[in-house]
């Protein structure tokens, strides 16, 4: 995997986290829709309702674990960016791979030429390769 591919995982992971969080929210809403008697009376619940509840609870636990692992991976990659010693490398890589700016936009924001930012980006990618 190249440094660019590695750093581009940040946005892919954010998309996966967003999708799984949406699914988790829907599952939790469905869990609330399971009928309850609302009393302390013992009422035989249907096997389907109990099975649905158990499967939904298992799916919620799985999704929560997946989201935690995806966040951990994303934070690990971001941590590698912020572990670089050169502050300009950090600013360029974080602007591009975390904030989604183009190199041209980064050049404008940081008041450097596009060519300079392109060279800095290249050197920063080499540094990230050493940390992978």
């Amino acid at each position: 995997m190249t440094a660019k591919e590695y750093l581009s995982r940040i946005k892919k992971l954010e998309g996966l986290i967003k999708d799984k969080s949406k699914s988790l929210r829907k599952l939790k809403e469905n869990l609330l829709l399971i009928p309850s008697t609302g009393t302390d009376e013992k009422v035989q619940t249907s096997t389907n309702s109990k099975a649905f509840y158990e499967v939904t609870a298992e799916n919620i636990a799985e999704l929560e674990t997946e989201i935690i692992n995806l966040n951990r991976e994303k934070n690990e990659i971001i941590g590698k960016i912020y572990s670089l010693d050169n502050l300009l490398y950090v600013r360029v890589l974080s602007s591009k791979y975390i904030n989604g700016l183009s190199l041209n936009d980064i050049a404008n924001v940081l008041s450097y030429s596009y060519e300079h930012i392109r060279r800095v980006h290249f050197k920063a990618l080499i540094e990230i390769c050493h940390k992978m």
Side-chain angles (χ1 to χ4, degrees):
M1 176 180 297
T2 67
K4 279 185 181 181
E5 292 169 336
Y6 178 71
L7 295 174
S8 295
R9 293 247 335 123
I10 293 170
K11 287 295 180 192
K12 291 176 185 171
L13 290 166
E14 285 176 349
L16 286 170
I17 291 165
K18 183 179 177 183
D19 291 345
K20 289 187 181 293
S21 294
K22 184 189 278 186
S23 296
L24 180 62
R25 208 169 21 259
K26 286 182 182 178
L27 278 175
K28 286 182 177 181
E29 289 170 3
N30 287 342
L31 198 58
L32 294 174
L33 296 177
I34 295 175
S36 167
T37 60
T39 67
D40 291 333
E41 290 180 33
K42 288 189 176 185
V43 177
Q44 184 170 348
T45 58
S46 75
T47 309
N48 288 342
S49 179
K50 194 181 278 188
F52 176 77
Y53 176 82
E54 290 172 2
V55 169
T56 302
E58 287 174 11
N59 289 341
I60 287 172
E62 287 175 19
L63 274 174
E64 287 174 339
T65 302
E66 288 175 23
I67 291 168
I68 288 168
N69 291 334
L70 291 170
N71 270 310
R72 186 176 297 130
E73 183 181 350
K74 181 184 93 168
N75 291 334
E76 179 182 313
I77 297 169
I78 291 171
K80 289 195 176 158
I81 291 172
Y82 284 101
S83 72
L84 296 175
D85 294 329
N86 186 315
L87 182 59
L88 186 56
Y89 291 0
V90 172
R91 292 180 76 186
V92 169
L93 293 180
S94 63
S95 295
K96 176 147 183 70
Y97 296 100
I98 298 171
N99 300 327
L101 297 178
S102 69
L103 293 180
N104 197 35
D105 290 339
I106 296 167
N108 290 334
V109 169
L110 298 179
S111 299
Y112 287 104
S113 71
Y114 169 79
E115 285 303 315
H116 180 67
I117 293 300
R118 192 174 65 77
R119 283 190 299 276
V120 168
H121 178 252
F122 179 75
K123 290 176 184 178
L125 289 176
I126 292 171
E127 287 297 313
I128 284 290
C129 279
H130 296 303
K131 300 216 178 247
M132 288 174 49

